[in-house]
Amino acid sequence: MLFRQLFDRETSTYTYLLADEASGAALLIDPVLDQVDRDLGLLEDLGLSLTYILETHVHADHVTGAAILRDRTGARTVVSATAGADCADVAVRDGDVIRLGASGIEVRQTPGHTAGCVTYVTQDQKFAFTGDALMIRGCGRTDFQEGDAHTLYASVHEKIFTLPDACAVYPGHDYKGRTQSTVGEEKRLNPRLGGDKTVEEFAVIMDGLGLAPPKHLAVSLPANRNCGRILPESTAP
Amino acid sequence: MLFRQLFDRETSTYTYLLADEASGAALLIDPVLDQVDRDLGLLEDLGLSLTYILETHVHADHVTGAAILRDRTGARTVVSATAGADCADVAVRDGDVIRLGASGIEVRQTPGHTAGCVTYVTQDQKFAFTGDALMIRGCGRTDFQEGDAHTLYASVHEKIFTLPDACAVYPGHDYKGRTQSTVGEEKRLNPRLGGDKTVEEFAVIMDGLGLAPPKHLAVSLPANRNCGRILPESTAP
């Protein structure tokens, strides 16, 4: 399977390209609106055909490129059934498998950062795309968008930490220039969720973060609930 | 072999960690001074011992972390014999192999961006760390630091494009958030050096770039010729 990691420097967001080289079928995970031309150029360079656009969740910090990519390629958009994004072509649930040529991507529901977060896992369990559920030595905040620390702790422990230790963790963001981790590494080293941290200790950490709202929240949330279409204020869902 | 790609957002510089997991021996390629604490933290997290610090060249746009990493770990610094950095512990030449546990990294001299540029290639020829000789759909400038377009063209064609098409290309920088390419992709798609571009056409492209000097040139060049030690102006070599 062809794999590429892409970065949006402005929002420190990672986008992932996965493709089945035999058939040329490709998918993008968490594309960014501002990077649509780059991503389409890469697909063209590599002779790939975009079949799916996967969101790990409804993002609060950047606008997804999903709608524009869908318009330009005919690819189908994929979002969790619990994300509140009725615009998506495919609403996925825990255990669903997205086919990509001879391979498949398993959907694992991992709510807690938002109610509609999912982790996408390649069927060989070598790659997990964890969005903001599990990040490198960190995790997404739990103080808005139906976030809940107890729920996130359970998601990470039951749905991600049960993967093989060698499984690569590719997050939705990193703000220190790290590009990947592994399940084993995060189980051992994640200062919020790893080691012997209890759910109560995790909840105390998350309650104490005192973070400011994301800079682009007011634009990003309504646009992403609409699959990336920025609507005039009066018609935004 | 353990592999990690790391990014410095300020200068869009990539640093690479390679390690032999059996022995715990690690090397860093092109570490950045501002990221030394991050890189040492990762080595510690992974239980690795830094044995070598490799430079692809004397950088003009950021200060290397080599000297500080050497001070803190005892690792040996590795620079091309033709780079004009006499401070290095190991001065390498074309064909030299740097041992890393059971593996080895081959040195290929690829001058043209600077006179002392090298590309590091894993002995299985699956990874090439090309520095600024070959970048994703681009290459380093050739208008200072003994840069020469004819020399760079020969380096890329003779020393990099002769690697297997599937060999991953990991460059010293990317300014569009792309993290890797392959030899086959660059042979086919690099707009300056790939396809049927002649050396004369390449020289015309490079002559016409009209780039401003790098922002940190005045600090970076003397510091990097001194392996990353920033000296008072009067004593800088």
Side-chain angles (χ1 to χ4, degrees):
Chain A
M1 192 154 60
L2 186 146
F3 168 67
R4 289 291 165 87
Q5 183 173 27
L6 298 151
F7 186 62
D8 177 58
R9 200 167 161 275
E10 171 65 25
T11 61
S12 294
T13 300
Y14 285 121
T15 295
Y16 300 97
L17 167 67
L18 291 173
D20 173 66
E21 290 180 277
S23 64
L27 60 80
L28 285 168
I29 301 174
D30 288 341
V32 174
L33 181 60
D34 291 346
Q35 302 290 354
V36 160
D37 289 336
R38 176 198 65 189
D39 298 348
L40 286 172
L42 182 58
L43 288 163
E44 190 185 337
D45 277 358
L46 301 180
L48 300 172
S49 170
L50 190 65
T51 53
Y52 289 112
I53 303 148
L54 278 56
E55 302 286 355
T56 56
H57 63 296
V58 171
H59 310 279
D61 61 337
H62 68 272
V63 177
T64 173
I68 307 300
L69 286 164
R70 182 181 186 277
D71 288 350
R72 295 212 202 154
T73 65
R76 303 175 78 199
T77 54
V78 178
V79 181
S80 168
T82 58
D86 298 336
C87 50
D89 297 311
V90 184
V92 286
R93 292 187 181 276
D94 201 71
D96 285 354
V97 173
I98 298 149
R99 300 304 326 170
L100 184 67
S103 307
I105 314 291
E106 182 196 338
V107 177
R108 294 187 172 208
Q109 282 185 283
T110 49
H113 167 58
T114 76
C117 285
V118 294
T119 291
Y120 296 107
V121 182
T122 58
Q123 280 194 307
D124 60 9
Q125 299 199 337
K126 288 187 176 169
F127 294 74
F129 302 96
T130 55
D132 296 3
L134 179 65
M135 291 157 74
I136 301 172
R137 313 290 190 269
C139 63
R141 61 199 291 172
T142 55
D143 58 342
F144 65 86
Q145 267 188 286
E146 304 95 38
D148 182 89
H150 287 76
T151 306
L152 182 55
Y153 185 94
S155 290
V156 170
H157 279 259
E158 291 166 17
K159 298 294 177 65
I160 301 175
F161 283 178
T162 49
L163 289 164
D165 278 0
C167 179
V169 169
Y170 282 100
H173 304 277
D174 191 80
Y175 303 95
K176 294 185 177 175
R178 298 164 298 190
T179 57
Q180 69 149 113
S181 183
T182 67
V183 167
E185 219 176 294
E186 293 310 315
K187 277 164 68 177
R188 193 163 53 87
L189 297 164
N190 192 294
R192 296 179 182 175
L193 288 152
D196 54 4
K197 279 279 186 301
T198 65
V199 65
E200 290 78 18
E201 289 171 316
F202 178 63
V204 169
I205 292 169
M206 298 310 287
D207 282 349
L209 291 181
L211 300 168
K215 211 163 50 173
H216 305 297
L217 180 70
V219 171
S220 298
L221 265 192
N224 290 331
R225 285 199 187 108
N226 201 30
C227 290
R229 289 191 206 282
I230 301 171
L231 297 176
E233 210 174 318
S234 58
T235 59
Chain B
M1 193 155 59
L2 186 147
F3 168 68
R4 290 291 165 89
Q5 182 173 28
L6 298 151
F7 186 62
D8 177 59
R9 200 167 161 276
E10 170 67 24
T11 60
S12 294
T13 301
Y14 285 121
T15 296
Y16 300 96
L17 168 68
L18 291 173
D20 173 66
E21 289 180 279
S23 64
L27 60 80
L28 285 168
I29 300 174
D30 288 341
V32 174
L33 181 60
D34 291 346
Q35 303 289 354
V36 159
D37 288 336
R38 176 198 65 187
D39 298 348
L40 287 172
L42 182 58
L43 289 162
E44 191 185 338
D45 277 357
L46 302 179
L48 300 171
S49 171
L50 190 65
T51 54
Y52 289 111
I53 303 147
L54 277 57
E55 302 287 354
T56 56
H57 62 297
V58 171
H59 310 280
D61 60 338
H62 68 272
V63 177
T64 173
I68 307 301
L69 286 164
R70 182 180 186 277
D71 289 349
R72 295 212 202 153
T73 65
R76 303 175 78 198
T77 54
V78 178
V79 181
S80 167
T82 58
D86 298 336
C87 50
D89 296 311
V90 184
V92 287
R93 291 188 182 276
D94 201 71
D96 285 355
V97 173
I98 298 149
R99 300 303 328 171
L100 184 67
S103 307
I105 314 292
E106 182 196 340
V107 178
R108 294 187 171 208
Q109 283 186 282
T110 49
H113 167 58
T114 75
C117 284
V118 295
T119 290
Y120 297 107
V121 182
T122 57
Q123 280 194 308
D124 60 10
Q125 299 199 336
K126 289 188 176 168
F127 294 76
F129 302 95
T130 55
D132 297 3
L134 179 66
M135 291 157 73
I136 301 172
R137 312 292 190 268
C139 64
R141 61 199 291 172
T142 55
D143 59 342
F144 64 87
Q145 269 188 283
E146 304 94 37
D148 181 90
H150 287 76
T151 305
L152 182 56
Y153 185 93
S155 290
V156 170
H157 279 259
E158 292 166 17
K159 298 293 178 64
I160 301 175
F161 282 179
T162 48
L163 289 165
D165 278 359
C167 179
V169 169
Y170 282 100
H173 305 278
D174 191 80
Y175 303 96
K176 294 185 178 175
R178 299 164 298 190
T179 56
Q180 69 150 112
S181 183
T182 66
V183 167
E185 218 177 296
E186 293 310 314
K187 277 164 69 177
R188 192 163 55 87
L189 297 164
N190 192 292
R192 297 180 183 175
L193 287 151
D196 55 3
K197 279 278 185 307
T198 64
V199 65
E200 289 78 19
E201 289 172 316
F202 178 63
V204 169
I205 293 169
M206 298 310 288
D207 282 350
L209 292 181
L211 300 168
K215 212 163 48 173
H216 305 296
L217 180 69
V219 171
S220 298
L221 265 193
N224 290 331
R225 287 201 185 106
N226 201 32
C227 290
R229 290 191 205 282
I230 301 171
L231 297 177
E233 209 174 317
S234 59
T235 59

